[in-house]
Amino acid sequence: MRKPITDLIHHPYVPPAKFGSPQVGVYKASTVFFADVAAMRARDWKTKAGYTYGLHGTPTTFTLEERLATLEGGTECLLVPSGLAAIALVSFALLKSGDEVLIPDNAYGPNKALANGELANFGITHKLYDAMNPADLAAKLSERTKLVWVEAAGSVTMEFPDLPALAKICRDRGVIVALDNTWGAGLAFAPFDFNGSGQGVDISIQALTKYPSGGGDVLMGSVTTRDERLHRAIKLTHMRMGYGIGVGDVETVLRSLPSVALRYAAHDRSARELALWLEDRAEIAQVLHPALESSPGHANWLRLCGAADLAAGLFSVVFDSRYGTEQVDRFCDSLSLFRLGYSWGGPISLVVPYDIGLMRDPGVAHWPHKGTLVRFSIGLEDVDDLRADLEQALAVL
Ligand SMILES: *Cc1c(COP(=O)(O)O)cnc(C)c1O
């Protein structure tokens, strides 16, 4: 007679199949069972035809991957534990000692830090290029260039590059181009099909941490492709680096994803309203928001995102040079609805002061401003309340 504890662990009950509900099941697993030894020996972790081990996917992670691939217009997607891990995965998968990677000088900072750190340690060199000058990218490509990163809008300074032109330069030279599509979120433009041209980037990564999660409570990233061979190469590195994802977090993103377009549009609407309002304020020298005519690369934004008319909920302002760091810090401290904190895409509006001088390579000249810069991420609060908060904080200047 088996003891109850054994029966408890090897319980015969199997719930009836065909359970239907709005959310997919949350399958948590390290171990995945095989029916017999033959099935185990035939295992193939490289495809979604079956299951082999929790690290390589469960019904829950496969479902989110498929939905994200659809959102971005790709064919395959891989989940990773953060947006930065998505950047690292692409670089580690495609680069080897002796190769070079080109990164825009206004890229998400940690992408450049990875190139300065681990990539350099592994004998991979990098160059920074001016994303607003396609000729600079063309001039910096060499036979050693195996990967080019692009990003729109640029990190913190929000310049909007001519993505189709940058991608075409890479395509003509047979170099893989990877987009950090966190800002666009698969909504502002189609990364694999710019303006219905059928042409786009080779790889699109996102920090799902931002709009897809939408709660400020999840770290996750995705790597989406539209080429089976490229996907296989990245999947191999994904497996070997052991990028595990918490299925509870996947559940959270699956729950948020259906509302991503609504939230994105709402963030965008409020951000544009506040950006326009700040443009008229005497304290502000410039508002950096790609949908504003005065912003660098506005024409590029209009060509690529004009049809969707979407521009996320992020913008930066440069304070008039008569205000020093101390005063601008005081402005940030005086805000009450806007909280001080990194990341973005959640319901709470955020503010971060940046010292651009420390963030850009002096050799890549495209930052003409002198004043202190502050970046806002506009949340889902009432826009009049946010404006009132900005107004009372400007008064302390
Ligand atoms: C936040 C962010 C990342 C990194 O995402 P994490 O999940 O925080 O690692 C990468 N790129 C861009 C543009 C981002 O805004």
Side-chain angles (χ1 to χ4, degrees):
M1 230 344 230
R2 285 205 307 219
K3 301 288 188 303
I5 184 65
T6 302
D7 280 335
L8 179 73
I9 294 168
H10 293 263
H11 203 282
Y13 177 76
V14 178
K18 299 206 167 161
F19 177 75
S21 73
Q23 296 300 329
V24 299
V26 178
Y27 292 88
K28 297 190 176 182
S30 47
T31 299
V32 172
F33 295 142
F34 298 93
D36 52 35
V37 173
M40 192 171 222
R41 295 220 169 100
R43 75 196 187 281
D44 181 6
W45 52 267
K46 294 192 248 19
T47 75
K48 284 193 168 77
Y51 306 100
T52 51
Y53 187 56
L55 261 184
H56 309 147
T58 68
T60 316
T61 60
F62 283 179
T63 301
L64 180 55
E65 287 174 346
E66 290 298 306
R67 291 182 186 183
L68 290 166
T70 298
L71 177 66
E72 295 215 65
T75 51
E76 303 272 5
C77 175
L78 290 165
L79 297 178
V80 285
S82 71
L84 183 52
I87 292 170
L89 171 62
V90 169
S91 290
F92 289 144
L94 301 179
L95 298 169
K96 61 182 188 325
S97 178
D99 290 345
E100 184 156 273
V101 54
L102 300 185
I103 304 171
D105 191 35
N106 60 356
Y108 176 69
N111 189 343
K112 301 199 288 185
L114 179 72
N116 272 319
E118 280 64 22
L119 297 188
N121 293 343
F122 297 156
I124 298 156
T125 61
H126 72 279
K127 279 202 185 94
L128 302 173
Y129 70 93
D130 177 359
M132 300 307 287
N133 179 7
D136 189 45
L137 170 63
K140 284 174 176 161
L141 281 170
S142 76
E143 316 83 79
R144 291 205 299 115
T145 313
K146 294 291 150 43
L147 175 66
V148 171
W149 281 100
V150 293
E151 188 170 332
S155 189
V156 182
T157 42
M158 308 302 297
E159 303 93 344
F160 207 94
D162 186 348
L163 277 188
L166 297 176
K168 181 173 190 315
I169 289 167
C170 299
R171 194 163 54 243
D172 290 350
R173 299 277 290 264
V175 178
I176 292 170
V177 55
L179 167 71
D180 184 333
N181 197 24
T182 303
W183 177 92
L187 296 164
F189 61 91
F192 297 100
D193 183 19
F194 297 142
N195 290 317
S197 63
Q199 308 282 5
V201 297
D202 300 300
I203 300 165
S204 176
I205 75 102
Q206 272 200 56
L208 305 176
T209 306
K210 310 293 167 57
Y211 293 117
S213 134
D217 55 354
V218 170
L219 289 158
M220 203 181 297
S222 62
V223 178
T224 303
T225 48
R226 200 165 70 159
D227 176 89
E228 181 64 23
R229 269 184 47 216
L230 197 51
H231 166 73
R232 287 288 176 108
I234 298 170
K235 172 90 179 163
L236 201 64
T237 301
H238 184 271
M239 187 278 277
R240 292 191 290 228
M241 296 198 68
Y243 281 134
I245 314 291
V247 175
D249 288 344
V250 176
E251 179 194 20
T252 303
V253 178
L254 277 168
R255 200 169 197 282
S256 300
L257 204 60
S259 66
V260 69
L262 292 175
R263 289 183 284 106
Y264 192 91
H267 289 288
D268 175 20
R269 211 177 316 119
S270 295
R272 278 200 231 189
E273 195 172 325
L274 295 172
L276 282 168
W277 179 76
L278 283 162
E279 206 171 31
D280 287 337
R281 294 287 306 207
E283 300 91 341
I284 305 298
Q286 184 165 15
V287 179
L288 299 161
H289 183 305
L292 264 54
E293 265 174 56
S294 58
S295 214
H298 169 72
N300 295 328
W301 171 81
L302 198 59
R303 270 198 302 277
L304 194 64
C305 310
D309 192 24
L310 288 171
L314 278 185
F315 65 90
S316 297
V317 299
V318 183
F319 278 83
D320 188 281
S321 55
R322 82 192 115 123
Y323 302 114
T325 308
E326 229 170 87
Q327 277 166 296
V328 174
D329 287 356
R330 193 135 37 85
F331 162 82
C332 294
D333 284 335
S334 302
L335 290 162
S336 67
L337 293 178
F338 286 84
R339 302 297 304 268
L340 279 161
Y342 294 109
S343 200
W344 37 274
I348 294 180
S349 292
L350 299 170
V351 61
V352 184
Y354 284 97
D355 186 343
I356 288 297
L358 300 175
M359 297 167 66
R360 298 289 184 258
D361 180 345
V364 185
H366 52 65
W367 179 248
H369 301 289
K370 295 246 175 341
T372 303
L373 182 147
V374 164
R375 187 189 70 190
F376 298 104
S377 160
I378 305 305
L380 297 172
E381 301 93 336
D382 182 88
V383 70
D384 294 331
D385 292 334
L386 292 176
R387 192 189 301 105
D389 193 25
L390 291 169
E391 191 153 32
Q392 63 80 22
L394 284 170
V396 310
L397 289 170

